[in-house]
Amino acid sequence: MTETPTPRPPLTILMHARDNVAIVANDGGLAAGTVFASGLTLREKVPQAHKVALVDIPEGGVVRRYDVPIGYALKPIPAGSWVHERLLRMPAARELDGLPIATVKPPAMPPLEGYTFEGFRNPDGSVGTRNILAITQTVQCVAGVTEFAVQRIKAELLPRFPNVDDVVALEHSYGCGVAIDAPDAVIPIRTLRNISLNPNFGGEVMVVSLGCEKLQPERLMPPGTIALIDERNVADVGTSADAKLDVVCLQDEAHVGFMSMVDSILRQAEEHLERLNDRRRETVPASELVVGVQCGGSDAFSGVTANPAVGFCTDLLVRAGATVMFSEVTEVRDGIDQLTSRATTPEVAEAMIREMAWYDAYLERGRVDRSANTTPGNKKGGLSNIVEKAMGSIVKSGSAPISGVVAPGEKARRKGLLYAATPASDFICGTLQLAAGMNLHVFTTGRGTPYGLAEVPVIKVATRSDLARRWHDLMDVNAGRIADGEASIEEVGWELFKLMLDVASGRRKTWAEQWKLHNALVLFNPAPVT
C-alpha cells in the first residue's frame, strides 16, 4: 500500500530581510486561511511561486523583493494578500546615465585547478565538446534540399564514420529578400559566419547555395576569414587567403534534376566526414569550456533555485579559467546598475551601456513597451513584471567581475565572465551564443520547455521539484531541491559543474540529445526587408 506523503508545513521564501513580500513554496500553493508560523494568515488562495504581502502595503507604497522596488501598489494591499501584476504599477526603467562604473572590486577568487574534460582540439586552438559536420546554407530557399540530403547522409554515410557525432543543417530564414547592404545587415551575416566556425564543427566548412541569392557564399565567408580544411592546406586552417570555400550551388548547370543536387551534397559531405572521423578526444583543462547560460519559461523560483545554482557554477567555471556568457538584454536591462558596477574596466561598462542603448532604440522604433516581457507563462509562474524577472535572471552571472562584452553575432575573444548582448527570445539568444563560440549550453526553466540545440549539448535545469518530477525525462538537474530544503545552492552548483565536465567529455548525453530535441536557428535581423 502506497503511503500518502506527509504534507509540508506552509512555507514562504524571502529573498532579502528588507523585502515586504515573499513567495509561497508549497506545491499547489496555499489555501485562504492558511496560518504561517509567524502568525501571518492568508486572506485568499495564493498559487505556488506567487507573492504574499508580509505587511500592510499602502496605496502607492513600494513592493520590495530582492531588496529592489519591483512595483508600487495601485491600491492598499493588506498583509496576507496575494500580490500579483494587476495590483502593481511597474517602476520606470533605470536611466543609462549616472550609472556606477566599475565600482565593485571583489577579492580575487582562488583558481580552481585540476579539472579537465575530454574534448576535440581544433587547429585554431579552440576545443569542441562534440564532433559534428555542419552544413551551412546561404539562403532559406535551399533548406528543403539540404534537409533531404542530411537525412540520406545520416542513413547512408554516418554509420561508416563512428567518431562523428552528428550531421546538422544550419537552416535559417535569411539570405534574400532583405536589404543586404543596410548597416545592421552585418549582424545576421556575421552570426551565420561565426556559427559555421563553432568549435563543435572541427573547422570543416561546407556551404549549400542556391546561386541567385543576395547573400553569396563569398560574402558570407570572405577569402582569408574562413576556417577551412582541405587536402592540401590542413596546417593553414583559418589563416590562408588561398583556401578554397567548399560550395555546392544548386543552380549550377551540372545539376540535372533534384537527385543530382542531393548526390553532390553527399559527395562533398563524405570528404568532410572522413576528416572529422580521424579526430579523437584528448584531455584538456576545464578552461577550454565556453558556456552559454540562459533561462526560458521562467517562474518566480528561477531566481531562488536554478539561477543562483547556475551563478555559483559560473563562479566555479571562471575560477577554472573558462568562458561563461550570460545574455538577454531585456531581461537584465532593469538591473544595468548591478552590471556596470561589476565591470572590470570603464570600457567594459560603457560597452554594456551602448548595447542597452542600442536595444532601447530598437524597441522604440518598433513601439514595443518593455512590459511586453514578461510572458503570460512567466506571470502564471509568479513573476509580476520585467523588473522582478530581471533580478532573478541576473543571478545566473554569479559574482565574478564582468570582463568583456560580445556584440550580436560576434565571436567571444577573451575568457572569464562575458556579457553577450542578445534579445531575450530563447532561440535568438541560443543562436547568438553559438556564434560567440559556445561549446556547452545551460538552460534553466520553471514553467518547462523542450528547448534544445543540435549544435551543442544543452543541460536543462528545473527550478521546481514538481516540474522535475513531471518532466523527469527532459530535465537534467533538479534545482527545486534547494527550495525543498534537500540541497544547498552550493551543492547543486557543484553537481552542475561536474555534470558539465561529463557532458563535455561525451560520457553523458543530455535528455535533449537523447531525444534529439533540436530547434531551428533564428538569426537576429534588424535590417529592413525589401
PDB file of all heavy atoms in Angstrom, residues 221-248:
ATOM      1  N   MET A 221      31.483  34.043 -46.411  1.00  0.00           N
ATOM      2  CA  MET A 221      32.801  33.579 -45.991  1.00  0.00           C
ATOM      3  C   MET A 221      33.874  34.220 -46.868  1.00  0.00           C
ATOM      4  O   MET A 221      34.379  33.601 -47.810  1.00  0.00           O
ATOM      5  CB  MET A 221      32.888  32.048 -46.122  1.00  0.00           C
ATOM      6  CG  MET A 221      31.960  31.295 -45.221  1.00  0.00           C
ATOM      7  SD  MET A 221      32.536  31.365 -43.513  1.00  0.00           S
ATOM      8  CE  MET A 221      31.297  30.348 -42.736  1.00  0.00           C
ATOM      9  N   PRO A 222      34.237  35.485 -46.614  1.00  0.00           N
ATOM     10  CA  PRO A 222      35.232  36.155 -47.454  1.00  0.00           C
ATOM     11  C   PRO A 222      36.578  35.431 -47.415  1.00  0.00           C
ATOM     12  O   PRO A 222      36.944  34.847 -46.388  1.00  0.00           O
ATOM     13  CB  PRO A 222      35.348  37.550 -46.830  1.00  0.00           C
ATOM     14  CG  PRO A 222      34.110  37.717 -46.029  1.00  0.00           C
ATOM     15  CD  PRO A 222      33.734  36.357 -45.553  1.00  0.00           C
ATOM     16  N   PRO A 223      37.331  35.449 -48.513  1.00  0.00           N
ATOM     17  CA  PRO A 223      38.655  34.820 -48.521  1.00  0.00           C
ATOM     18  C   PRO A 223      39.517  35.374 -47.387  1.00  0.00           C
ATOM     19  O   PRO A 223      39.518  36.563 -47.092  1.00  0.00           O
ATOM     20  CB  PRO A 223      39.217  35.209 -49.895  1.00  0.00           C
ATOM     21  CG  PRO A 223      38.009  35.469 -50.736  1.00  0.00           C
ATOM     22  CD  PRO A 223      36.978  36.043 -49.814  1.00  0.00           C
ATOM     23  N   GLY A 224      40.244  34.484 -46.734  1.00  0.00           N
ATOM     24  CA  GLY A 224      41.121  34.901 -45.661  1.00  0.00           C
ATOM     25  C   GLY A 224      40.476  34.902 -44.297  1.00  0.00           C
ATOM     26  O   GLY A 224      41.167  35.030 -43.287  1.00  0.00           O
ATOM     27  N   THR A 225      39.148  34.755 -44.240  1.00  0.00           N
ATOM     28  CA  THR A 225      38.475  34.759 -42.935  1.00  0.00           C
ATOM     29  C   THR A 225      37.869  33.402 -42.602  1.00  0.00           C
ATOM     30  O   THR A 225      37.451  33.184 -41.476  1.00  0.00           O
ATOM     31  CB  THR A 225      37.353  35.804 -42.888  1.00  0.00           C
ATOM     32  OG1 THR A 225      36.341  35.451 -43.829  1.00  0.00           O
ATOM     33  CG2 THR A 225      37.886  37.181 -43.198  1.00  0.00           C
ATOM     34  N   ILE A 226      37.800  32.500 -43.565  1.00  0.00           N
ATOM     35  CA  ILE A 226      37.172  31.209 -43.307  1.00  0.00           C
ATOM     36  C   ILE A 226      38.156  30.247 -42.658  1.00  0.00           C
ATOM     37  O   ILE A 226      39.364  30.320 -42.864  1.00  0.00           O
ATOM     38  CB  ILE A 226      36.621  30.581 -44.597  1.00  0.00           C
ATOM     39  CG1 ILE A 226      37.746  30.312 -45.612  1.00  0.00           C
ATOM     40  CG2 ILE A 226      35.555  31.446 -45.211  1.00  0.00           C
ATOM     41  CD1 ILE A 226      37.298  29.502 -46.786  1.00  0.00           C
ATOM     42  N   ALA A 227      37.618  29.370 -41.847  1.00  0.00           N
ATOM     43  CA  ALA A 227      38.401  28.259 -41.317  1.00  0.00           C
ATOM     44  C   ALA A 227      38.057  27.053 -42.178  1.00  0.00           C
ATOM     45  O   ALA A 227      36.950  26.556 -42.139  1.00  0.00           O
ATOM     46  CB  ALA A 227      38.043  28.008 -39.866  1.00  0.00           C
ATOM     47  N   LEU A 228      38.998  26.588 -42.961  1.00  0.00           N
ATOM     48  CA  LEU A 228      38.700  25.553 -43.951  1.00  0.00           C
ATOM     49  C   LEU A 228      39.791  24.501 -43.940  1.00  0.00           C
ATOM     50  O   LEU A 228      40.972  24.820 -43.869  1.00  0.00           O
ATOM     51  CB  LEU A 228      38.608  26.175 -45.350  1.00  0.00           C
ATOM     52  CG  LEU A 228      38.302  25.210 -46.492  1.00  0.00           C
ATOM     53  CD1 LEU A 228      36.863  24.745 -46.409  1.00  0.00           C
ATOM     54  CD2 LEU A 228      38.561  25.867 -47.822  1.00  0.00           C
ATOM     55  N   ILE A 229      39.401  23.269 -43.985  1.00  0.00           N
ATOM     56  CA  ILE A 229      40.360  22.177 -44.125  1.00  0.00           C
ATOM     57  C   ILE A 229      40.205  21.605 -45.528  1.00  0.00           C
ATOM     58  O   ILE A 229      39.118  21.267 -45.948  1.00  0.00           O
ATOM     59  CB  ILE A 229      40.099  21.074 -43.094  1.00  0.00           C
ATOM     60  CG1 ILE A 229      40.297  21.622 -41.676  1.00  0.00           C
ATOM     61  CG2 ILE A 229      41.013  19.886 -43.315  1.00  0.00           C
ATOM     62  CD1 ILE A 229      40.003  20.616 -40.593  1.00  0.00           C
ATOM     63  N   ASP A 230      41.289  21.525 -46.254  1.00  0.00           N
ATOM     64  CA  ASP A 230      41.269  20.738 -47.485  1.00  0.00           C
ATOM     65  C   ASP A 230      42.532  19.884 -47.514  1.00  0.00           C
ATOM     66  O   ASP A 230      43.400  19.980 -46.664  1.00  0.00           O
ATOM     67  CB  ASP A 230      41.117  21.606 -48.740  1.00  0.00           C
ATOM     68  CG  ASP A 230      42.277  22.559 -48.971  1.00  0.00           C
ATOM     69  OD1 ASP A 230      43.388  22.245 -48.515  1.00  0.00           O
ATOM     70  OD2 ASP A 230      42.066  23.595 -49.612  1.00  0.00           O
ATOM     71  N   GLU A 231      42.632  19.018 -48.498  1.00  0.00           N
ATOM     72  CA  GLU A 231      43.701  18.027 -48.505  1.00  0.00           C
ATOM     73  C   GLU A 231      45.079  18.655 -48.628  1.00  0.00           C
ATOM     74  O   GLU A 231      46.069  18.103 -48.172  1.00  0.00           O
ATOM     75  CB  GLU A 231      43.476  17.053 -49.670  1.00  0.00           C
ATOM     76  CG  GLU A 231      42.226  16.215 -49.502  1.00  0.00           C
ATOM     77  CD  GLU A 231      41.993  15.300 -50.683  1.00  0.00           C
ATOM     78  OE1 GLU A 231      42.672  15.476 -51.713  1.00  0.00           O
ATOM     79  OE2 GLU A 231      41.149  14.407 -50.558  1.00  0.00           O
ATOM     80  N   ARG A 232      45.171  19.873 -49.175  1.00  0.00           N
ATOM     81  CA  ARG A 232      46.481  20.474 -49.401  1.00  0.00           C
ATOM     82  C   ARG A 232      46.874  21.457 -48.322  1.00  0.00           C
ATOM     83  O   ARG A 232      48.017  21.844 -48.206  1.00  0.00           O
ATOM     84  CB  ARG A 232      46.485  21.212 -50.744  1.00  0.00           C
ATOM     85  CG  ARG A 232      46.204  20.326 -51.951  1.00  0.00           C
ATOM     86  CD  ARG A 232      45.813  21.165 -53.141  1.00  0.00           C
ATOM     87  NE  ARG A 232      44.611  21.941 -52.837  1.00  0.00           N
ATOM     88  CZ  ARG A 232      44.224  22.978 -53.563  1.00  0.00           C
ATOM     89  NH1 ARG A 232      44.930  23.379 -54.581  1.00  0.00           N
ATOM     90  NH2 ARG A 232      43.120  23.629 -53.242  1.00  0.00           N
ATOM     91  N   ASN A 233      45.938  21.871 -47.514  1.00  0.00           N
ATOM     92  CA  ASN A 233      46.166  23.061 -46.707  1.00  0.00           C
ATOM     93  C   ASN A 233      45.713  22.867 -45.263  1.00  0.00           C
ATOM     94  O   ASN A 233      45.208  23.774 -44.641  1.00  0.00           O
ATOM     95  CB  ASN A 233      45.398  24.237 -47.322  1.00  0.00           C
ATOM     96  CG  ASN A 233      46.096  25.553 -47.026  1.00  0.00           C
ATOM     97  OD1 ASN A 233      47.205  25.562 -46.523  1.00  0.00           O
ATOM     98  ND2 ASN A 233      45.434  26.643 -47.342  1.00  0.00           N
ATOM     99  N   VAL A 234      45.918  21.644 -44.735  1.00  0.00           N
ATOM    100  CA  VAL A 234      45.418  21.329 -43.419  1.00  0.00           C
ATOM    101  C   VAL A 234      46.053  22.216 -42.358  1.00  0.00           C
ATOM    102  O   VAL A 234      45.414  22.667 -41.430  1.00  0.00           O
ATOM    103  CB  VAL A 234      45.663  19.835 -43.092  1.00  0.00           C
ATOM    104  CG1 VAL A 234      45.274  19.544 -41.657  1.00  0.00           C
ATOM    105  CG2 VAL A 234      44.874  18.965 -44.039  1.00  0.00           C
ATOM    106  N   ALA A 235      47.315  22.530 -42.507  1.00  0.00           N
ATOM    107  CA  ALA A 235      48.030  23.273 -41.470  1.00  0.00           C
ATOM    108  C   ALA A 235      47.620  24.736 -41.407  1.00  0.00           C
ATOM    109  O   ALA A 235      47.879  25.409 -40.419  1.00  0.00           O
ATOM    110  CB  ALA A 235      49.530  23.175 -41.700  1.00  0.00           C
ATOM    111  N   ASP A 236      46.990  25.235 -42.452  1.00  0.00           N
ATOM    112  CA  ASP A 236      46.713  26.669 -42.514  1.00  0.00           C
ATOM    113  C   ASP A 236      45.245  27.003 -42.273  1.00  0.00           C
ATOM    114  O   ASP A 236      44.734  27.986 -42.766  1.00  0.00           O
ATOM    115  CB  ASP A 236      47.128  27.223 -43.887  1.00  0.00           C
ATOM    116  CG  ASP A 236      48.628  27.132 -44.093  1.00  0.00           C
ATOM    117  OD1 ASP A 236      49.332  27.197 -43.084  1.00  0.00           O
ATOM    118  OD2 ASP A 236      49.063  27.004 -45.238  1.00  0.00           O
ATOM    119  N   VAL A 237      44.580  26.161 -41.487  1.00  0.00           N
ATOM    120  CA  VAL A 237      43.162  26.394 -41.249  1.00  0.00           C
ATOM    121  C   VAL A 237      42.944  27.766 -40.616  1.00  0.00           C
ATOM    122  O   VAL A 237      43.581  28.137 -39.659  1.00  0.00           O
ATOM    123  CB  VAL A 237      42.599  25.307 -40.317  1.00  0.00           C
ATOM    124  CG1 VAL A 237      41.192  25.665 -39.888  1.00  0.00           C
ATOM    125  CG2 VAL A 237      42.609  23.976 -41.013  1.00  0.00           C
ATOM    126  N   GLY A 238      42.032  28.520 -41.195  1.00  0.00           N
ATOM    127  CA  GLY A 238      41.667  29.803 -40.634  1.00  0.00           C
ATOM    128  C   GLY A 238      42.642  30.916 -40.925  1.00  0.00           C
ATOM    129  O   GLY A 238      42.445  32.039 -40.496  1.00  0.00           O
ATOM    130  N   THR A 239      43.722  30.636 -41.671  1.00  0.00           N
ATOM    131  CA  THR A 239      44.710  31.683 -41.900  1.00  0.00           C
ATOM    132  C   THR A 239      44.998  31.920 -43.371  1.00  0.00           C
ATOM    133  O   THR A 239      45.499  32.966 -43.741  1.00  0.00           O
ATOM    134  CB  THR A 239      46.039  31.328 -41.210  1.00  0.00           C
ATOM    135  OG1 THR A 239      46.546  30.112 -41.771  1.00  0.00           O
ATOM    136  CG2 THR A 239      45.829  31.131 -39.706  1.00  0.00           C
ATOM    137  N   SER A 240      44.716  30.953 -44.210  1.00  0.00           N
ATOM    138  CA  SER A 240      45.137  31.060 -45.603  1.00  0.00           C
ATOM    139  C   SER A 240      44.130  31.841 -46.437  1.00  0.00           C
ATOM    140  O   SER A 240      42.953  31.519 -46.486  1.00  0.00           O
ATOM    141  CB  SER A 240      45.310  29.661 -46.208  1.00  0.00           C
ATOM    142  OG  SER A 240      45.566  29.775 -47.591  1.00  0.00           O
ATOM    143  N   ALA A 241      44.604  32.881 -47.110  1.00  0.00           N
ATOM    144  CA  ALA A 241      43.744  33.648 -48.017  1.00  0.00           C
ATOM    145  C   ALA A 241      43.459  32.872 -49.288  1.00  0.00           C
ATOM    146  O   ALA A 241      42.574  33.231 -50.068  1.00  0.00           O
ATOM    147  CB  ALA A 241      44.401  34.984 -48.353  1.00  0.00           C
ATOM    148  N   ASP A 242      44.205  31.789 -49.502  1.00  0.00           N
ATOM    149  CA  ASP A 242      44.036  30.996 -50.719  1.00  0.00           C
ATOM    150  C   ASP A 242      43.127  29.789 -50.520  1.00  0.00           C
ATOM    151  O   ASP A 242      42.905  29.030 -51.462  1.00  0.00           O
ATOM    152  CB  ASP A 242      45.401  30.503 -51.211  1.00  0.00           C
ATOM    153  CG  ASP A 242      46.336  31.666 -51.533  1.00  0.00           C
ATOM    154  OD1 ASP A 242      45.838  32.683 -52.048  1.00  0.00           O
ATOM    155  OD2 ASP A 242      47.535  31.553 -51.250  1.00  0.00           O
ATOM    156  N   ALA A 243      42.631  29.599 -49.301  1.00  0.00           N
ATOM    157  CA  ALA A 243      41.788  28.440 -49.040  1.00  0.00           C
ATOM    158  C   ALA A 243      40.538  28.493 -49.911  1.00  0.00           C
ATOM    159  O   ALA A 243      39.940  29.544 -50.101  1.00  0.00           O
ATOM    160  CB  ALA A 243      41.394  28.402 -47.560  1.00  0.00           C
ATOM    161  N   LYS A 244      40.152  27.343 -50.400  1.00  0.00           N
ATOM    162  CA  LYS A 244      39.006  27.247 -51.306  1.00  0.00           C
ATOM    163  C   LYS A 244      37.748  26.924 -50.518  1.00  0.00           C
ATOM    164  O   LYS A 244      37.699  25.950 -49.765  1.00  0.00           O
ATOM    165  CB  LYS A 244      39.264  26.160 -52.344  1.00  0.00           C
ATOM    166  CG  LYS A 244      38.123  25.993 -53.340  1.00  0.00           C
ATOM    167  CD  LYS A 244      38.430  24.853 -54.296  1.00  0.00           C
ATOM    168  CE  LYS A 244      37.267  24.603 -55.241  1.00  0.00           C
ATOM    169  NZ  LYS A 244      37.523  23.441 -56.112  1.00  0.00           N
ATOM    170  N   LEU A 245      36.725  27.755 -50.687  1.00  0.00           N
ATOM    171  CA  LEU A 245      35.466  27.527 -49.993  1.00  0.00           C
ATOM    172  C   LEU A 245      34.704  26.396 -50.678  1.00  0.00           C
ATOM    173  O   LEU A 245      34.531  26.391 -51.893  1.00  0.00           O
ATOM    174  CB  LEU A 245      34.632  28.808 -50.000  1.00  0.00           C
ATOM    175  CG  LEU A 245      33.291  28.753 -49.267  1.00  0.00           C
ATOM    176  CD1 LEU A 245      33.493  28.416 -47.804  1.00  0.00           C
ATOM    177  CD2 LEU A 245      32.560  30.088 -49.404  1.00  0.00           C
ATOM    178  N   ASP A 246      34.266  25.439 -49.888  1.00  0.00           N
ATOM    179  CA  ASP A 246      33.565  24.267 -50.412  1.00  0.00           C
ATOM    180  C   ASP A 246      32.079  24.594 -50.549  1.00  0.00           C
ATOM    181  O   ASP A 246      31.357  24.634 -49.557  1.00  0.00           O
ATOM    182  CB  ASP A 246      33.789  23.092 -49.467  1.00  0.00           C
ATOM    183  CG  ASP A 246      33.147  21.820 -49.971  1.00  0.00           C
ATOM    184  OD1 ASP A 246      32.682  21.803 -51.122  1.00  0.00           O
ATOM    185  OD2 ASP A 246      33.107  20.837 -49.214  1.00  0.00           O
ATOM    186  N   VAL A 247      31.618  24.827 -51.769  1.00  0.00           N
ATOM    187  CA  VAL A 247      30.242  25.250 -52.025  1.00  0.00           C
ATOM    188  C   VAL A 247      29.575  24.279 -53.001  1.00  0.00           C
ATOM    189  O   VAL A 247      30.151  23.935 -54.039  1.00  0.00           O
ATOM    190  CB  VAL A 247      30.186  26.670 -52.612  1.00  0.00           C
ATOM    191  CG1 VAL A 247      28.734  27.070 -52.882  1.00  0.00           C
ATOM    192  CG2 VAL A 247      30.850  27.666 -51.674  1.00  0.00           C
ATOM    193  N   VAL A 248      28.365  23.853 -52.673  1.00  0.00           N
ATOM    194  CA  VAL A 248      27.503  23.158 -53.620  1.00  0.00           C
ATOM    195  C   VAL A 248      26.419  24.155 -54.032  1.00  0.00           C
ATOM    196  O   VAL A 248      25.597  24.569 -53.211  1.00  0.00           O
ATOM    197  CB  VAL A 248      26.864  21.908 -52.999  1.00  0.00           C
ATOM    198  CG1 VAL A 248      25.874  21.286 -53.985  1.00  0.00           C
ATOM    199  CG2 VAL A 248      27.932  20.896 -52.612  1.00  0.00           C
TER     200      VAL A 248
END
